[in-house]
Amino acid sequence: MADAQKPKKQIVPKKNPMPAQDPAVRSRNFNEVALGYSPETAIAEAGRCLQCKNEPCRQGCPVEVDIPAFLKLASEGDFAGAIAKIKEKNALPAVCGRVCPQENQCEKYCTLGKKHEPVGIGRVERFCADWELAKGVKLPEVAPPTGFKVAVVGSGPAGITCAADLAKLGHKVTMFEALHVAGGVLMYGIPEFRLPKAVVQAEVENVKKLGVEIEVNSVVGKFATVDQLMEEGGFDAVFIGTGAGLPYFMNIPGENLCGVYSANEFLTRTNLMKAYQFPEWDTPIKVGRKVAVLGGGNVAMDAARTALRLGAEESWIVYRRSDKELPARHEEVEHAHEEGVKFAFLTSPTRIIGDDNGVVKAMECIRYELGEPDASGRRSPVPIPGSEYTMEVDTVVVAIGQGPNPLVPRTTKGLEVNRKGNIVANPETGATSKPGVYAGGDVVTGAATVILAMGAGKVGARSIHDYLMAKKSAK
Amino acid sequence: MYRILEKEVFSPIIKLMVIEAPKVARSCQAGQFVILRIHEEGERIPLTIADFDREKGTITIVFQEVGKTTEQLGAMNAGDSLRDFVGPLGVPSHIEKFGTVMVVGGGVGIAPVHPIARELKKAGNHVIGVIGSRTKELMFWEDKMREACSELHVTTDDGSYVRKGFVTDVMKEIIEDRGKENINLVLAIGPQPMMRACCNLTREYGLKTVVSLNALMVDGTGMCGCCRVSVGGVTKFVCVDGPEFDGHEVDWLELARRGAYFREEEQKARERAKEKHSCQCGCGGGK
Ligand SMILES: Cc1cc2nc3c(=O)[nH]c(=O)nc-3n(C[C@H](O)[C@H](O)[C@H](O)COP(=O)(O)OP(=O)(O)OC[C@H]3O[C@@H](n4cnc5c(N)ncnc54)[C@H](O)[C@@H]3O)c2cc1C
Ligand SMILES: Cc1cc2nc3c(=O)[nH]c(=O)nc-3n(C[C@H](O)[C@H](O)[C@H](O)COP(=O)(O)OP(=O)(O)OC[C@H]3O[C@@H](n4cnc5c(N)ncnc54)[C@H](O)[C@@H]3O)c2cc1C
Ligand code: SF4
Ligand code: SF4
Ligand code: FES
């Protein structure tokens, strides 16, 4: 293997750094942290690629973007060619370039990364996508109308991708979204400073241009059930991409005190409802002086960094395991550190304590140590008896995970769900237990990633197309 | 956009609007609510469906002006449009033949109680309606309620109309008069203190009482948990598990505290809106 990829060119060991806002400044504003490459830097970074014949990076990308090919084009300054190449596989490159956990995906497998730093694949991808968005996107060709109607439920990355692919194949697609804007977690969860909402809306606009109709303010299971969409609404097939929006709580005493938010509430108030612009925008949020965020994933990092920007003096991540187990993207953890987020590892709250008005004033925590490795090989945390201590806090944000919203499964006859409430769908096809109904994204897998949700949307679109074509020839 | 087709002013602070929202009207049922947003920068606020017309595709809301959004809404007129209007949300009222049901509406709560009373009567119940307001000026829909109920009792706190007394005074008289065994269910909707007082009364008689809770909300679909409340020691989300619950099980103190958490900010927003708004364009107060 080593022979096959013997470098024919000069190795540049380090990634071109991403220009970023100064941590001291950015931790107080909501503007994007990572500013993006210049064309020159993008060309240079793409030029670091060794063009390995066996393309290891590609296997790390869940949608198999042709990474060497697009990097080659980008290194030649052909950004139009590069973005076209990316878009063959990835419908939302401006989003993925920003939020994919590249260190666990494409860049993890990069040959250069074995001895040096991997190629900044995500950064170049982002550059190409932004370059195209700024220039105005060339729309792909849309097949002639097939006469079939498909309903897509939920407008997160799974729904958007599925809708776009189906529209390109000539089907009439209506996407129903419960909230007042399309985009799912990309709009209400991931903060502006990491993924500008204008970028998401530009992608949504492109989907609309393909002829997809988006009906916001439409909660499926409430205004109509999936069965009604199919029987009365005239939809020939349905794709369910309703995500994992149901917040979990710890079930410890004091969790309903004022000042305890789910991460979803905290981030929705801030991102979707723009509480950081209160009172220009009407929705308020309160953080106080000291904030504790429970959890260690992307959601927790987003909440902790958001808290600083909302004016908290101290923002703490309280996590049951150690820093090595943090599930968040490396870059987010690093950014959080730089901005001054503090970490209490091997710590977990046992109860939240309120004042006379029922507002949080403190949190009792217990310390953990890492015990024997469990079945997964991870050392599981065990509480240290008698190590309880009290931490004064004004706000607690619970970011320990989300489950699927039960609204659609509960109201859809014959739709199988598993013990956790996730819709059961064939991973190869997205087919559910109900004929004509497909599902994908977080609602099937549990909270995962943008790119996996998109991949599931693609699979769903392909299967729905096959299903409809079979239906047509049976007619 | 969702057009305001009609507006009726019941009193300087209580107003009715008929909104064009065919998707909501198509499937809504008594006891459900909507969430609306006036303009792009606006807050999402929940309001109960007070009436609906499936054919015309309209929803009727009745609201009391208590803060920025409801005041701005109150300043809008027929012909204006709302930015967002989503529903029906929440679980519909449980309607069956219970026998005799006492249905109590306090203040602006008369509106949400109305369709439920109507459905209960349709289902064959004897519906004893009790409605009350602070003063005569704030009373509305007496006629509609008379029609929706089998019998109707009206009261005002200050005695300016029909009689003097709280709804709980009237309830007590009726329960004593008819005998608690002759009342199968109580349903009470209104301001929190009123619902709580109703529950305290009916608890003495062991009369099951359903209330409709008005927790703070953001999305209304079970996504944020802002609306959570303890019912019988278990955390429930008002928007998807409710809004109706067994009033004897509700942790009223928690509900009241959570509802007051943003009071300072609400006050600030309201004052700011008052300062800024001088135009008469019907923009609902602008930003
Ligand atoms: C704060 C946060 C940070 C994250 N950071 C990252 C990251 O850095 N990188 C990464 O790869 N992933 C990240 N993720 C995960 C990623 O966002 C999700 O895995 C992805 O968005 C899932 O996509 P989806 O389409 O399945 O669902 P979602 O994005 O959840 O979209 C589902 C949509 O369906 C709508 N809906 C739900 N029920 C109904 C209904 N009944 N009717 C109509 N509409 C309905 C919802 O309102 C929502 O808009 C993050 C998640 C969060 C919450
Ligand atoms: C399911 C549900 C149904 C409702 N139905 C009706 C209705 O039919 N008619 C009606 O007039 N009101 C109803 N409400 C209450 C209504 O939502 C609030 O009055 C409104 O959100 C206040 O917004 P604001 O910006 O005008 O006032 P704000 O400035 O936000 O608040 C002013 C005051 O109202 C209180 N308040 C704020 N939000 C709520 C709330 N969601 N519930 C109760 N009190 C609140 C605050 O604590 C404060 O004291 C309902 C609430 C819920 C949850
Ligand atoms: S989509 Fe994500 S994983 Fe695939 S190449 Fe782009 S950044 Fe890497
Ligand atoms: S990105 Fe890395 S692994 Fe992929 S072709 Fe280039 S050098 Fe090789
Ligand atoms: S309002 Fe968000 S969960 Fe009920």
Side-chain angles (χ1 to χ4, degrees), chain A residues 21-35:
Chain A
Q21 274 196 73
D22 183 87
V25 176
R26 74 179 191 233
S27 66
R28 300 285 149 183
N29 72 45
F30 275 84
N31 300 334
E32 192 170 17
V33 167
L35 300 170

mmCIF file with all atom_site columns, all heavy atoms in Angstrom, chain A residues 21-35:
data_model
loop_
_atom_site.group_PDB
_atom_site.id
_atom_site.type_symbol
_atom_site.label_atom_id
_atom_site.label_alt_id
_atom_site.label_comp_id
_atom_site.label_asym_id
_atom_site.label_entity_id
_atom_site.label_seq_id
_atom_site.pdbx_PDB_ins_code
_atom_site.Cartn_x
_atom_site.Cartn_y
_atom_site.Cartn_z
_atom_site.occupancy
_atom_site.B_iso_or_equiv
_atom_site.pdbx_formal_charge
_atom_site.auth_seq_id
_atom_site.auth_comp_id
_atom_site.auth_asym_id
_atom_site.auth_atom_id
_atom_site.pdbx_PDB_model_num
ATOM 1   N N   . GLN A 1 21 ? -12.079 34.670 13.785 1.00 0.00 ? 21 GLN A N   1
ATOM 2   C CA  . GLN A 1 21 ? -12.202 35.842 14.644 1.00 0.00 ? 21 GLN A CA  1
ATOM 3   C C   . GLN A 1 21 ? -11.392 35.611 15.905 1.00 0.00 ? 21 GLN A C   1
ATOM 4   O O   . GLN A 1 21 ? -11.335 34.502 16.420 1.00 0.00 ? 21 GLN A O   1
ATOM 5   C CB  . GLN A 1 21 ? -13.645 35.976 15.095 1.00 0.00 ? 21 GLN A CB  1
ATOM 6   C CG  . GLN A 1 21 ? -14.581 36.690 14.205 1.00 0.00 ? 21 GLN A CG  1
ATOM 7   C CD  . GLN A 1 21 ? -15.826 37.030 15.041 1.00 0.00 ? 21 GLN A CD  1
ATOM 8   O OE1 . GLN A 1 21 ? -15.788 37.906 15.890 1.00 0.00 ? 21 GLN A OE1 1
ATOM 9   N NE2 . GLN A 1 21 ? -16.902 36.314 14.794 1.00 0.00 ? 21 GLN A NE2 1
ATOM 10  N N   . ASP A 1 22 ? -10.831 36.652 16.444 1.00 0.00 ? 22 ASP A N   1
ATOM 11  C CA  . ASP A 1 22 ? -10.091 36.578 17.692 1.00 0.00 ? 22 ASP A CA  1
ATOM 12  C C   . ASP A 1 22 ? -11.006 36.039 18.801 1.00 0.00 ? 22 ASP A C   1
ATOM 13  O O   . ASP A 1 22 ? -12.126 36.498 18.955 1.00 0.00 ? 22 ASP A O   1
ATOM 14  C CB  . ASP A 1 22 ? -9.611  37.992 18.050 1.00 0.00 ? 22 ASP A CB  1
ATOM 15  C CG  . ASP A 1 22 ? -8.770  37.972 19.303 1.00 0.00 ? 22 ASP A CG  1
ATOM 16  O OD1 . ASP A 1 22 ? -7.554  37.761 19.179 1.00 0.00 ? 22 ASP A OD1 1
ATOM 17  O OD2 . ASP A 1 22 ? -9.346  38.128 20.401 1.00 0.00 ? 22 ASP A OD2 1
ATOM 18  N N   . PRO A 1 23 ? -10.529 35.056 19.567 1.00 0.00 ? 23 PRO A N   1
ATOM 19  C CA  . PRO A 1 23 ? -11.393 34.444 20.591 1.00 0.00 ? 23 PRO A CA  1
ATOM 20  C C   . PRO A 1 23 ? -11.998 35.445 21.574 1.00 0.00 ? 23 PRO A C   1
ATOM 21  O O   . PRO A 1 23 ? -13.162 35.329 21.939 1.00 0.00 ? 23 PRO A O   1
ATOM 22  C CB  . PRO A 1 23 ? -10.449 33.485 21.327 1.00 0.00 ? 23 PRO A CB  1
ATOM 23  C CG  . PRO A 1 23 ? -9.355  33.199 20.380 1.00 0.00 ? 23 PRO A CG  1
ATOM 24  C CD  . PRO A 1 23 ? -9.214  34.399 19.502 1.00 0.00 ? 23 PRO A CD  1
ATOM 25  N N   . ALA A 1 24 ? -11.211 36.422 21.984 1.00 0.00 ? 24 ALA A N   1
ATOM 26  C CA  . ALA A 1 24 ? -11.710 37.379 22.971 1.00 0.00 ? 24 ALA A CA  1
ATOM 27  C C   . ALA A 1 24 ? -12.859 38.201 22.403 1.00 0.00 ? 24 ALA A C   1
ATOM 28  O O   . ALA A 1 24 ? -13.803 38.560 23.105 1.00 0.00 ? 24 ALA A O   1
ATOM 29  C CB  . ALA A 1 24 ? -10.582 38.302 23.418 1.00 0.00 ? 24 ALA A CB  1
ATOM 30  N N   . VAL A 1 25 ? -12.778 38.492 21.104 1.00 0.00 ? 25 VAL A N   1
ATOM 31  C CA  . VAL A 1 25 ? -13.835 39.282 20.469 1.00 0.00 ? 25 VAL A CA  1
ATOM 32  C C   . VAL A 1 25 ? -15.029 38.389 20.165 1.00 0.00 ? 25 VAL A C   1
ATOM 33  O O   . VAL A 1 25 ? -16.170 38.692 20.495 1.00 0.00 ? 25 VAL A O   1
ATOM 34  C CB  . VAL A 1 25 ? -13.313 39.922 19.164 1.00 0.00 ? 25 VAL A CB  1
ATOM 35  C CG1 . VAL A 1 25 ? -14.426 40.664 18.445 1.00 0.00 ? 25 VAL A CG1 1
ATOM 36  C CG2 . VAL A 1 25 ? -12.133 40.826 19.449 1.00 0.00 ? 25 VAL A CG2 1
ATOM 37  N N   . ARG A 1 26 ? -14.753 37.246 19.558 1.00 0.00 ? 26 ARG A N   1
ATOM 38  C CA  . ARG A 1 26 ? -15.860 36.429 19.057 1.00 0.00 ? 26 ARG A CA  1
ATOM 39  C C   . ARG A 1 26 ? -16.706 35.825 20.171 1.00 0.00 ? 26 ARG A C   1
ATOM 40  O O   . ARG A 1 26 ? -17.869 35.540 19.969 1.00 0.00 ? 26 ARG A O   1
ATOM 41  C CB  . ARG A 1 26 ? -15.329 35.325 18.161 1.00 0.00 ? 26 ARG A CB  1
ATOM 42  C CG  . ARG A 1 26 ? -14.649 34.189 18.919 1.00 0.00 ? 26 ARG A CG  1
ATOM 43  C CD  . ARG A 1 26 ? -14.160 33.119 17.980 1.00 0.00 ? 26 ARG A CD  1
ATOM 44  N NE  . ARG A 1 26 ? -13.750 31.940 18.696 1.00 0.00 ? 26 ARG A NE  1
ATOM 45  C CZ  . ARG A 1 26 ? -12.565 31.351 18.565 1.00 0.00 ? 26 ARG A CZ  1
ATOM 46  N NH1 . ARG A 1 26 ? -11.666 31.853 17.732 1.00 0.00 ? 26 ARG A NH1 1
ATOM 47  N NH2 . ARG A 1 26 ? -12.288 30.259 19.243 1.00 0.00 ? 26 ARG A NH2 1
ATOM 48  N N   . SER A 1 27 ? -16.089 35.611 21.363 1.00 0.00 ? 27 SER A N   1
ATOM 49  C CA  . SER A 1 27 ? -16.872 35.003 22.424 1.00 0.00 ? 27 SER A CA  1
ATOM 50  C C   . SER A 1 27 ? -17.951 35.954 22.912 1.00 0.00 ? 27 SER A C   1
ATOM 51  O O   . SER A 1 27 ? -18.737 35.619 23.786 1.00 0.00 ? 27 SER A O   1
ATOM 52  C CB  . SER A 1 27 ? -15.975 34.575 23.578 1.00 0.00 ? 27 SER A CB  1
ATOM 53  O OG  . SER A 1 27 ? -15.410 35.710 24.179 1.00 0.00 ? 27 SER A OG  1
ATOM 54  N N   . ARG A 1 28 ? -18.011 37.163 22.356 1.00 0.00 ? 28 ARG A N   1
ATOM 55  C CA  . ARG A 1 28 ? -19.054 38.109 22.722 1.00 0.00 ? 28 ARG A CA  1
ATOM 56  C C   . ARG A 1 28 ? -19.919 38.497 21.528 1.00 0.00 ? 28 ARG A C   1
ATOM 57  O O   . ARG A 1 28 ? -20.723 39.414 21.615 1.00 0.00 ? 28 ARG A O   1
ATOM 58  C CB  . ARG A 1 28 ? -18.447 39.373 23.345 1.00 0.00 ? 28 ARG A CB  1
ATOM 59  C CG  . ARG A 1 28 ? -17.640 39.118 24.597 1.00 0.00 ? 28 ARG A CG  1
ATOM 60  C CD  . ARG A 1 28 ? -18.526 38.839 25.788 1.00 0.00 ? 28 ARG A CD  1
ATOM 61  N NE  . ARG A 1 28 ? -17.878 37.938 26.731 1.00 0.00 ? 28 ARG A NE  1
ATOM 62  C CZ  . ARG A 1 28 ? -18.444 37.473 27.846 1.00 0.00 ? 28 ARG A CZ  1
ATOM 63  N NH1 . ARG A 1 28 ? -19.659 37.800 28.161 1.00 0.00 ? 28 ARG A NH1 1
ATOM 64  N NH2 . ARG A 1 28 ? -17.795 36.665 28.641 1.00 0.00 ? 28 ARG A NH2 1
ATOM 65  N N   . ASN A 1 29 ? -19.727 37.868 20.377 1.00 0.00 ? 29 ASN A N   1
ATOM 66  C CA  . ASN A 1 29 ? -20.634 38.173 19.268 1.00 0.00 ? 29 ASN A CA  1
ATOM 67  C C   . ASN A 1 29 ? -21.099 36.879 18.595 1.00 0.00 ? 29 ASN A C   1
ATOM 68  O O   . ASN A 1 29 ? -20.572 35.801 18.853 1.00 0.00 ? 29 ASN A O   1
ATOM 69  C CB  . ASN A 1 29 ? -19.995 39.146 18.259 1.00 0.00 ? 29 ASN A CB  1
ATOM 70  C CG  . ASN A 1 29 ? -18.902 38.497 17.425 1.00 0.00 ? 29 ASN A CG  1
ATOM 71  O OD1 . ASN A 1 29 ? -19.036 37.386 16.925 1.00 0.00 ? 29 ASN A OD1 1
ATOM 72  N ND2 . ASN A 1 29 ? -17.793 39.209 17.262 1.00 0.00 ? 29 ASN A ND2 1
ATOM 73  N N   . PHE A 1 30 ? -22.113 37.017 17.765 1.00 0.00 ? 30 PHE A N   1
ATOM 74  C CA  . PHE A 1 30 ? -22.688 35.838 17.134 1.00 0.00 ? 30 PHE A CA  1
ATOM 75  C C   . PHE A 1 30 ? -22.254 35.673 15.677 1.00 0.00 ? 30 PHE A C   1
ATOM 76  O O   . PHE A 1 30 ? -22.790 34.857 14.943 1.00 0.00 ? 30 PHE A O   1
ATOM 77  C CB  . PHE A 1 30 ? -24.221 35.871 17.236 1.00 0.00 ? 30 PHE A CB  1
ATOM 78  C CG  . PHE A 1 30 ? -24.712 35.315 18.544 1.00 0.00 ? 30 PHE A CG  1
ATOM 79  C CD1 . PHE A 1 30 ? -24.775 36.112 19.670 1.00 0.00 ? 30 PHE A CD1 1
ATOM 80  C CD2 . PHE A 1 30 ? -25.066 33.979 18.650 1.00 0.00 ? 30 PHE A CD2 1
ATOM 81  C CE1 . PHE A 1 30 ? -25.196 35.600 20.895 1.00 0.00 ? 30 PHE A CE1 1
ATOM 82  C CE2 . PHE A 1 30 ? -25.490 33.447 19.857 1.00 0.00 ? 30 PHE A CE2 1
ATOM 83  C CZ  . PHE A 1 30 ? -25.557 34.266 20.982 1.00 0.00 ? 30 PHE A CZ  1
ATOM 84  N N   . ASN A 1 31 ? -21.255 36.465 15.245 1.00 0.00 ? 31 ASN A N   1
ATOM 85  C CA  . ASN A 1 31 ? -20.780 36.326 13.875 1.00 0.00 ? 31 ASN A CA  1
ATOM 86  C C   . ASN A 1 31 ? -19.994 35.038 13.718 1.00 0.00 ? 31 ASN A C   1
ATOM 87  O O   . ASN A 1 31 ? -19.482 34.494 14.686 1.00 0.00 ? 31 ASN A O   1
ATOM 88  C CB  . ASN A 1 31 ? -19.902 37.510 13.500 1.00 0.00 ? 31 ASN A CB  1
ATOM 89  C CG  . ASN A 1 31 ? -20.665 38.808 13.616 1.00 0.00 ? 31 ASN A CG  1
ATOM 90  O OD1 . ASN A 1 31 ? -21.893 38.816 13.492 1.00 0.00 ? 31 ASN A OD1 1
ATOM 91  N ND2 . ASN A 1 31 ? -19.955 39.888 13.887 1.00 0.00 ? 31 ASN A ND2 1
ATOM 92  N N   . GLU A 1 32 ? -19.877 34.596 12.491 1.00 0.00 ? 32 GLU A N   1
ATOM 93  C CA  . GLU A 1 32 ? -19.224 33.317 12.254 1.00 0.00 ? 32 GLU A CA  1
ATOM 94  C C   . GLU A 1 32 ? -17.779 33.347 12.763 1.00 0.00 ? 32 GLU A C   1
ATOM 95  O O   . GLU A 1 32 ? -17.052 34.318 12.560 1.00 0.00 ? 32 GLU A O   1
ATOM 96  C CB  . GLU A 1 32 ? -19.264 32.944 10.770 1.00 0.00 ? 32 GLU A CB  1
ATOM 97  C CG  . GLU A 1 32 ? -18.847 31.494 10.569 1.00 0.00 ? 32 GLU A CG  1
ATOM 98  C CD  . GLU A 1 32 ? -19.105 30.980 9.150  1.00 0.00 ? 32 GLU A CD  1
ATOM 99  O OE1 . GLU A 1 32 ? -19.297 31.791 8.233  1.00 0.00 ? 32 GLU A OE1 1
ATOM 100 O OE2 . GLU A 1 32 ? -19.095 29.746 8.985  1.00 0.00 ? 32 GLU A OE2 1
ATOM 101 N N   . VAL A 1 33 ? -17.394 32.263 13.428 1.00 0.00 ? 33 VAL A N   1
ATOM 102 C CA  . VAL A 1 33 ? -16.062 32.167 14.023 1.00 0.00 ? 33 VAL A CA  1
ATOM 103 C C   . VAL A 1 33 ? -15.002 31.949 12.946 1.00 0.00 ? 33 VAL A C   1
ATOM 104 O O   . VAL A 1 33 ? -14.028 32.682 12.841 1.00 0.00 ? 33 VAL A O   1
ATOM 105 C CB  . VAL A 1 33 ? -16.021 31.031 15.062 1.00 0.00 ? 33 VAL A CB  1
ATOM 106 C CG1 . VAL A 1 33 ? -14.588 30.711 15.465 1.00 0.00 ? 33 VAL A CG1 1
ATOM 107 C CG2 . VAL A 1 33 ? -16.852 31.405 16.277 1.00 0.00 ? 33 VAL A CG2 1
ATOM 108 N N   . ALA A 1 34 ? -15.208 30.902 12.134 1.00 0.00 ? 34 ALA A N   1
ATOM 109 C CA  . ALA A 1 34 ? -14.240 30.563 11.088 1.00 0.00 ? 34 ALA A CA  1
ATOM 110 C C   . ALA A 1 34 ? -14.570 31.385 9.855  1.00 0.00 ? 34 ALA A C   1
ATOM 111 O O   . ALA A 1 34 ? -15.686 31.336 9.347  1.00 0.00 ? 34 ALA A O   1
ATOM 112 C CB  . ALA A 1 34 ? -14.329 29.077 10.775 1.00 0.00 ? 34 ALA A CB  1
ATOM 113 N N   . LEU A 1 35 ? -13.618 32.167 9.382  1.00 0.00 ? 35 LEU A N   1
ATOM 114 C CA  . LEU A 1 35 ? -13.939 33.148 8.351  1.00 0.00 ? 35 LEU A CA  1
ATOM 115 C C   . LEU A 1 35 ? -13.861 32.606 6.929  1.00 0.00 ? 35 LEU A C   1
ATOM 116 O O   . LEU A 1 35 ? -14.335 33.228 5.992  1.00 0.00 ? 35 LEU A O   1
ATOM 117 C CB  . LEU A 1 35 ? -13.008 34.358 8.502  1.00 0.00 ? 35 LEU A CB  1
ATOM 118 C CG  . LEU A 1 35 ? -13.147 35.047 9.871  1.00 0.00 ? 35 LEU A CG  1
ATOM 119 C CD1 . LEU A 1 35 ? -12.054 36.080 10.077 1.00 0.00 ? 35 LEU A CD1 1
ATOM 120 C CD2 . LEU A 1 35 ? -14.523 35.680 10.035 1.00 0.00 ? 35 LEU A CD2 1
#
